[in-house]
Amino acid sequence: MTTYSNFEAFNPKIDLTGDGSVLVTGVYHIKPDEAAAAELKQYNIRDLFVKSFRILPATNNNITVVNPTIYIQDTIEHKTGNKISGFLRRIDQIVDDVNEMKKPLRGTGHVVPSDWREKAYRPTITVSVKCDDMSLGDKSHKVISKLDNMIKSGINIEFLNKCPENSPWNQIVQSMISQQHERK
């Protein structure tokens, strides 16, 4: 852990309960460059996986929020039906999270400056695709349908297309990108 973070000891220790039973001795700070490098590695090693919003330190004084990411970087047709069903459920959960983010903040108890004005938020999900299936079967069509429904619902998808030129998935991704541009 010390390779990727710095430890700052608290002196005196912080007593959380007032009776000395829970003491905070310090905090680890993640090194921003290490966090960014670890995040970038995720785009190459995931197979069928979904990650929610992440907070990433950009510099020592700044953080950034990383969009939810859907990784389709493995065969779909050779996965079990249960794996595909679980993958589709996780996509639904991410879509729900993203739609929750675009709801107005009024009445939620957030403390905001008096001159603050609410901005419209267009939900965005990153989809990293590197699928080498050379034919599209029922399992692929279920995933394609899920992504298509996301686009139709107004969610912006940022595609990272790593598919081979002659792959059917490359054609699907290109079609979805153009479909998304037509909706704007």
Side-chain angles (χ1 to χ4, degrees), residues 100-108 110 112-121:
E100 189 69 29
M101 291 291 289
K102 73 178 180 180
K103 289 183 179 176
L105 294 176
R106 281 180 234 120
T108 60
H110 290 276
V112 295
S114 59
D115 61 349
W116 178 81
R117 296 291 176 261
E118 186 175 325
K119 290 191 303 187
Y121 169 69

Side-chain angles (χ1 to χ4, degrees), residues 22-149:
V22 180
L23 297 175
V24 178
T25 60
V27 64
Y28 275 99
H29 299 280
I30 298 172
K31 295 178 183 175
D33 51 342
E34 297 291 343
E39 182 66 30
L40 287 174
K41 284 181 190 175
Q42 297 297 310
Y43 288 102
N44 295 322
I45 63 172
R46 296 290 185 187
D47 55 3
L48 297 182
F49 199 77
V50 178
K51 286 184 81 171
S52 191
F53 289 98
R54 279 99 69 212
I55 295 176
L56 185 70
T59 65
N60 285 332
N61 301 317
N62 196 2
I63 62 169
T64 186
V65 176
V66 181
N67 289 331
T69 308
I70 299 170
Y71 299 90
I72 305 172
Q73 301 189 154
D74 196 2
T75 178
I76 290 176
E77 293 305 318
H78 294 109
K79 299 291 182 190
T80 66
N82 286 340
K83 174 79 172 177
I84 298 301
S85 296
F87 181 59
L88 296 175
R89 276 193 304 277
R90 289 191 301 276
I91 291 174
D92 286 338
Q93 290 169 349
I94 290 296
V95 169
D96 291 344
D97 288 349
V98 168
N99 284 325
E100 189 69 29
M101 291 291 289
K102 73 178 180 180
K103 289 183 179 176
L105 294 176
R106 281 180 234 120
T108 60
H110 290 276
V111 178
V112 295
S114 59
D115 61 349
W116 178 81
R117 296 291 176 261
E118 186 175 325
K119 290 191 303 187
Y121 169 69
R122 183 154 187 228
T124 300
I125 294 176
T126 302
V127 178
S128 180
V129 184
K130 187 174 86 178
C131 182
D132 57 3
D133 286 340
M134 293 313 284
S135 64
L136 303 177
D138 289 343
K139 295 172 186 173
S140 294
H141 287 293
K142 287 178 183 177
V143 174
I144 292 165
S145 175
K146 184 69 67 179
L147 296 174
D148 191 47
N149 288 340

